[in-house]
Amino acid sequence: MNLGGSLNNSSGGGLGGATIVADIPFSNNMAAAGAMAQNIYNSPGLSLALQQPSIGNQGDGVRMGENFEASIGRRSREEEQESRSGSDNIDGVSGDDQDAANNRPRKKRYHRHTPQQIQELEALFKECPHPDEKQRLELSKRLCLETRQVKFWFQNRRTQMKTQLERHENSLLRQENDKLRAENMSIREAMRNPICTNCGGPAIIGDLSLEEEHLRIENARLKDELDRVCALASKFLGRPLSSLATSIAPPLPNSNLELGVGSNGFGGLSTTLPLGPDFGGGVSNSLPVVPPNGVERSMFLELALAAMDELVKMSQTDEPLWIRSLEVGREILNHDEYSRMFTPCIGIKPAGFLTEASRQTGVVIINSLALVETLMDSNRWAEMFPCMIARTSTTDVISSGMGGTRNGAIQLMHAELQLLSPLVPVREVNFLRFCRQHAEGVWAVVDVSIDTLRETSGAPTTYVKCRRLPSGCVVQDMPNGYSKVTWVEHVEYDESQIHHLYRPLLSSGIGFGAQRWVAALRRQCECLAILMSSTVPTGDHTAITASGRRSMLKLAQRMTGNFCAGVCASTVHKWNKLNVGNVDEDVRVMTRKSVDNPGEPPGIVLSAATSVWLPVSPQRLFDFLRDERLRSEWDILSNGGPMQEIAHIAKGQDHGNCVSLLRSSAMNANQSSMLILQETCMDAGGSLVVYAPVDIPAMQVVMSGGDSAYVALLPSGFAIIPDGPGSPGPTTSNGNGDSHMVGGSLLTVAFQILVNSLPTAKLTVESVETVNNLISCTVQKIKAALQCES
């Protein structure tokens, strides 16, 4: 739509026909005011920019408010000078008394207040614009006025204040419309004749400069802002208006009119325009003079463009920005070179914060469009990285993209990122996510924290303070449905709440680094490819139907999610931390109530978790814990005997990525057989073994394709990650005098147990001690079985 052309007609054409102008004197001629209002409502449209010819040989225009027409029917007055603040009152004619006056025709008597009376009235108005009857009576006695005179003065003063606000708002709308027209003309001119900034010749669309690309994105993103301006004008006119244009305006200029404090003298009084509850999405009923989030959203756009530029450069630049370290076997960011190349887009690093940075490239079995859609959908993003994202949500959508795609999409998000250990607090981040298509089959998605632009409140103090510098991925399509993904992670955080056992792991960029994101993405995409395949992988039990496989995988997904929530104490569940004196220092014990949840048994749930370092490789530890034949060496639920795998569903090419159903054999007549649902997964970032005892009849329904949401379970299990540089591992000698560091693993052990089936029951110390002993006993059995007691 041509905004400039639609607003150039001062009368008759386009949207002309009526004008919002600032000045509206109160006319004592009610008939003239009524005719003027009728002329406004019968006009064919609204012009927000052009001055209408004067009406009745006056230089004043017409300004219609929400209650203007009603106020004309109730009262009128002559305003000779605005500074009198409603000092001229019609004595005895207002409100209900006017009806009596109509029955008794008499000449209207005007009463003009003295300067002292006006001063007293203004002083009270500053403190209380709506005095009650007692205050009016006291003021009338002190000023020798009638109470209704005081009442009418306050009514007129409030009406005058509202008129001043409407004048100012109308002035802003006119300025806004002028800028809309100029901006639209410049955008159309730039899009009609694109110029290459390097050579000065004609440019193709793919070679548009950053400024022109900025205009294109801004034009699409702020269209909704223009619709809100139209809605505001509709409120003033009392009838709906269509959208004025497809382009949008830059932030409103600063206003010299002080509203609430200053020239109007309303110290501490916040003045707003009363709007109905149906005014636009995301706008409160109490609307400030400046359109909500207008300036802030422009700042978000600038931040998104700067973050995207930094991400692309960091993903494509090698040395000297990224230096390959032979010692750790990965790339390390050169912070000096980084400081030289980039200006901090979210401010300088806070004092005491550490920086972690990593980059990883990998090939995954997913195309760029599907991956971009997954990353821009908070629910699908969490499902793609279940062990890394505890909880996430989209808090606001700045732009949904252009041309039906995600190109140019900007949204604000909140996420809780986790490392599966009770010794590492959850990272809570509020960030902006920006998606952009750079070429055919090449996309980039960047995240950057918005804490410097928008203050967040209500964040639990247990969470680590964390700032997400420009991070994300660049995705490029490859043949056969694969994509090449280059992932960059760059974070600043406070390590004061992190246990010393995990500090080297996080500072090296391994704990939350790019390698972990790419490994998890590759494993999850491989799993989805297998599930969508019509062929059954080798090793799967063919007796399970396709619907039964889906039900079992859905149940296992819920089990693993609840396990992670219990380890990291995220806000998925409401946990209460217990401080018990006889519990080990590194064991965290929490409790919660399970009520009206069909996926869990009702009652008091106790969760206990701890992390230890073991001088065993992650692969060996993972193979030992997932092997059902060796389960009796550490699991008390196995009844001391071997377990048998009765169902197996592969989730990847690696045999360790699977969902299994295990059955324990009764060793004597007093024991009963039971089923255990187990999910195991492993990648370069770590491994997981999660299990839960399940009811036999319920699992029969699930394996037949029934709903798994009603299967009650409480998960337990293990999380294994490789220890990073600076780990507590000892050095050993090979007999020739050569020593080397022993690689080890960081093992997290976690249990969730139902200690009482009554949600209202009290937790006993014996229950806590039992769970603590269970964890200690399990860790000791694992050490003994792997011969690493020392």
Side-chain angles (χ1 to χ4, degrees):
M1 180 183 290
N2 186 339
L3 177 61
S6 65
L7 297 176
N8 281 331
N9 299 323
S10 61
S11 63
L15 295 176
T19 305
I20 294 182
V21 184
D23 298 324
I24 302 180
F26 286 94
S27 174
N28 61 350
N29 191 332
M30 298 174 62
M36 201 177 301
Q38 184 65 27
N39 184 33
I40 290 293
Y41 281 87
N42 290 336
S43 61
L46 170 69
S47 171
L48 296 181
L50 303 176
Q51 183 75 20
Q52 171 137 347
S54 59
I55 300 176
N57 295 325
Q58 301 179 17
D60 302 326
V62 178
R63 178 70 170 91
M64 298 302 300
E66 287 185 68
N67 302 318
F68 183 72
E69 187 177 17
S71 65
I72 291 177
R74 290 196 304 268
R75 61 184 179 274
S76 65
R77 69 184 175 91
E78 180 181 21
E79 180 181 279
E80 298 183 38
Q81 188 176 1
E82 282 190 1
S83 61
R84 298 183 183 276
S85 304
S87 61
D88 297 337
N89 283 287
I90 302 175
D91 187 11
V93 182
S94 182
D96 298 335
D97 294 338
Q98 199 169 13
D99 297 335
N102 294 334
N103 297 330
R104 303 190 305 276
R106 61 185 177 86
K107 186 177 181 180
K108 300 174 183 176
R109 294 184 294 110
Y110 291 89
H111 175 81
R112 180 163 297 173
H113 301 317
T114 65
Q116 292 78 11
Q117 291 173 332
I118 294 175
Q119 185 177 5
E120 290 283 343
L121 291 167
E122 288 282 1
L124 180 60
F125 188 80
K126 294 177 183 179
E127 300 177 0
C128 180
H130 295 270
D132 56 22
E133 184 176 357
K134 181 179 179 181
Q135 290 174 308
R136 293 197 302 269
L137 180 60
E138 180 181 351
L139 187 61
S140 64
K141 291 179 180 180
R142 190 165 69 247
L143 300 180
C144 299
L145 296 173
E146 297 183 12
T147 56
R148 61 182 177 180
Q149 289 178 313
V150 176
K151 175 181 178 181
F152 298 155
W153 187 92
F154 275 92
Q155 289 177 348
N156 294 337
R157 188 66 180 87
R158 290 192 296 268
T159 303
Q160 180 189 1
M161 178 58 197
K162 180 179 178 181
T163 302
Q164 292 174 346
L165 293 177
E166 291 173 346
R167 287 198 195 111
H168 176 63
E169 186 66 28
N170 186 59
S171 177
L172 292 179
L173 288 173
R174 289 201 309 270
Q175 297 175 26
E176 176 80 355
N177 198 41
D178 291 340
K179 290 186 176 294
L180 284 171
R181 184 171 61 243
E183 180 76 6
N184 184 263
M185 293 176 64
S186 64
I187 292 175
R188 288 188 288 110
E189 183 65 24
M191 295 302 297
R192 186 181 300 113
N193 300 310
I195 303 294
C196 179
T197 57
N198 295 326
C199 64
I204 61 175
I205 296 300
D207 294 333
L208 289 179
S209 66
L210 180 61
E211 291 77 11
E212 292 167 341
E213 183 71 12
H214 183 147
L215 291 175
R216 293 177 60 199
I217 297 175
E218 186 180 22
N219 184 55
R221 179 183 66 84
L222 293 180
K223 183 179 181 295
D224 181 60
E225 289 294 324
L226 182 62
D227 295 335
R228 295 184 181 183
V229 174
C230 294
L232 181 61
S234 300
K235 283 294 178 180
F236 286 150
L237 282 182
R239 59 184 177 82
L241 290 176
S242 60
S243 178
L244 294 179
T246 58
S247 63
I248 42 82
L252 291 177
N254 294 330
S255 172
N256 295 324
L257 178 61
E258 299 179 6
L259 298 177
V261 179
S263 59
N264 287 335
F266 292 77
L269 176 63
S270 176
T271 308
T272 57
L273 299 181
L275 298 177
D278 58 340
F279 181 82
V283 181
S284 62
N285 295 340
S286 182
L287 181 70
V289 173
V290 180
N293 293 329
V295 176
E296 190 178 61
R297 292 195 175 202
S298 296
M299 295 173 66
F300 286 150
L301 175 61
E302 297 291 342
L303 178 62
L305 293 173
M308 178 62 71
D309 181 62
E310 180 173 324
L311 172 69
V312 172
K313 290 181 179 178
M314 291 190 69
S315 65
Q316 296 177 348
T317 306
D318 295 326
E319 292 186 358
L321 182 62
W322 293 96
I323 302 175
R324 170 67 64 175
S325 174
L326 299 178
E327 181 180 355
V328 298
R330 61 181 183 84
E331 292 178 318
I332 297 178
L333 179 65
N334 185 344
H335 294 283
D336 294 336
E337 183 68 15
Y338 173 81
S339 301
R340 188 188 65 82
M341 290 182 59
F342 304 105
T343 301
C345 58
I346 60 174
I348 62 175
K349 180 172 67 174
F353 274 39
L354 297 182
T355 301
E356 65 177 52
S358 58
R359 184 175 71 168
Q360 183 72 22
T361 300
V363 177
V364 295
I365 183 171
I366 188 174
N367 62 66
S368 60
L369 288 177
L371 181 54
V372 164
E373 287 294 332
T374 299
L375 296 176
M376 299 303 292
D377 186 302
S378 59
N379 294 328
R380 293 171 61 180
W381 182 45
E383 291 176 358
M384 182 65 77
F385 303 95
C387 298
M388 302 182 65
I389 302 174
R391 192 172 188 176
T392 183
S393 62
T394 300
T395 58
D396 193 9
V397 177
I398 307 297
S399 171
S400 58
M402 296 185 295
T405 69
R406 292 288 189 174
N407 185 25
I410 304 177
Q411 57 195 35
L412 306 184
M413 302 182 69
H414 170 82
E416 296 175 16
L417 307 180
Q418 62 189 3
L419 184 67
L420 295 181
S421 172
L423 307 183
V424 181
V426 172
R427 286 185 174 180
E428 185 180 26
V429 288
N430 295 286
F431 59 94
L432 174 149
R433 177 162 288 180
F434 177 34
C435 177
R436 189 177 185 180
Q437 184 178 16
H438 292 269
E440 186 67 27
V442 179
W443 293 76
V445 179
V446 65
D447 298 343
V448 60
S449 287
I450 57 175
D451 295 329
T452 56
L453 300 182
R454 170 180 291 179
E455 292 185 3
T456 56
S457 59
T461 56
T462 55
Y463 289 146
V464 173
K465 183 65 177 177
C466 174
R467 302 201 323 163
R468 193 164 172 82
L469 278 68
S471 305
C473 62
V474 177
V475 188
Q476 181 179 358
D477 279 332
M478 297 181 67
N480 302 325
Y482 284 78
S483 295
K484 178 183 177 182
V485 177
T486 301
W487 203 289
V488 175
E489 280 295 311
H490 198 186
V491 176
E492 295 172 346
Y493 68 98
D494 180 10
E495 72 166 2
S496 59
Q497 299 183 35
I498 300 173
H499 194 277
H500 65 87
L501 196 63
Y502 281 84
R503 289 184 181 182
L505 186 75
L506 269 62
S507 62
S508 65
I510 298 178
F512 290 95
Q515 179 188 19
R516 189 176 173 215
W517 287 98
V518 173
L521 176 64
R522 182 187 289 115
R523 173 173 52 83
Q524 196 70 9
C525 290
E526 187 177 288
C527 172
L528 295 175
I530 291 178
L531 295 180
M532 291 185 294
S533 176
S534 58
T535 60
V536 178
T538 305
D540 278 16
H541 289 71
T542 57
I544 306 177
T545 63
S547 59
R549 285 159 50 92
R550 287 192 296 268
S551 295
M552 281 190 64
L553 291 173
K554 188 175 182 179
L555 179 61
Q557 181 184 22
R558 174 163 65 88
M559 175 183 68
T560 302
N562 288 340
F563 170 77
C564 297
V567 171
C568 298
S570 65
T571 58
V572 175
H573 297 300
K574 185 177 180 180
W575 292 100
N576 297 316
K577 186 177 180 180
L578 301 179
N579 294 317
V580 184
N582 54 354
V583 175
D584 296 341
E585 180 182 358
D586 293 337
V587 177
R588 183 173 63 190
V589 180
M590 303 180 298
T591 182
R592 64 180 173 88
K593 295 181 179 180
S594 177
V595 182
D596 298 331
N597 187 352
E600 290 182 345
I604 303 296
V605 178
L606 192 65
S607 173
T610 189
S611 295
V612 296
W613 180 85
L614 297 178
V616 181
S617 68
Q619 183 67 54
R620 182 188 174 196
L621 185 57
F622 175 69
D623 291 338
F624 169 73
L625 293 175
R626 73 179 181 87
D627 193 340
E628 70 275 4
R629 297 168 298 181
L630 303 177
R631 194 180 187 95
S632 59
E633 297 188 26
W634 57 266
D635 187 9
I636 62 173
L637 297 178
S638 62
N639 295 330
M643 281 198 168
Q644 178 185 2
E645 184 182 62
I646 62 175
H648 180 96
I649 301 177
K651 295 182 62 178
Q653 295 180 355
D654 192 303
H655 187 69
N657 293 326
C658 66
V659 173
S660 305
L661 192 61
L662 310 178
R663 180 176 59 192
S664 64
S665 302
M667 301 299 294
N668 53 59
N670 296 328
Q671 295 177 343
S672 59
S673 299
M674 61 176 301
L675 293 180
I676 293 180
L677 180 67
Q678 176 176 285
E679 179 176 14
T680 60
C681 56
M682 185 177 188
D683 55 45
S687 54
L688 202 64
V689 178
V690 183
Y691 62 92
V694 290
D695 186 54
I696 295 178
M699 284 307 301
Q700 291 176 345
V701 174
V702 171
M703 295 175 67
S704 300
D707 189 2
S708 63
Y710 298 95
V711 178
L713 50 79
L714 289 175
S716 300
F718 309 93
I720 308 167
I721 58 176
D723 57 358
S727 64
T731 59
T732 60
S733 176
N734 58 6
N736 296 325
D738 299 330
S739 62
H740 63 280
M741 183 71 69
V742 176
S745 303
L746 291 172
L747 172 66
T748 296
V749 185
F751 292 96
Q752 291 188 37
I753 299 176
L754 185 71
V755 296
N756 198 307
S757 59
L758 296 177
T760 57
K762 299 294 184 180
L763 186 65
T764 63
V765 178
E766 290 77 9
S767 300
V768 177
E769 291 179 349
T770 300
V771 175
N772 183 52
N773 293 334
L774 176 61
I775 282 190
S776 300
C777 181
T778 302
V779 172
Q780 292 301 324
K781 285 187 174 182
I782 293 174
K783 289 182 177 181
L786 297 176
Q787 299 178 356
C788 55
E789 294 89 341
S790 59

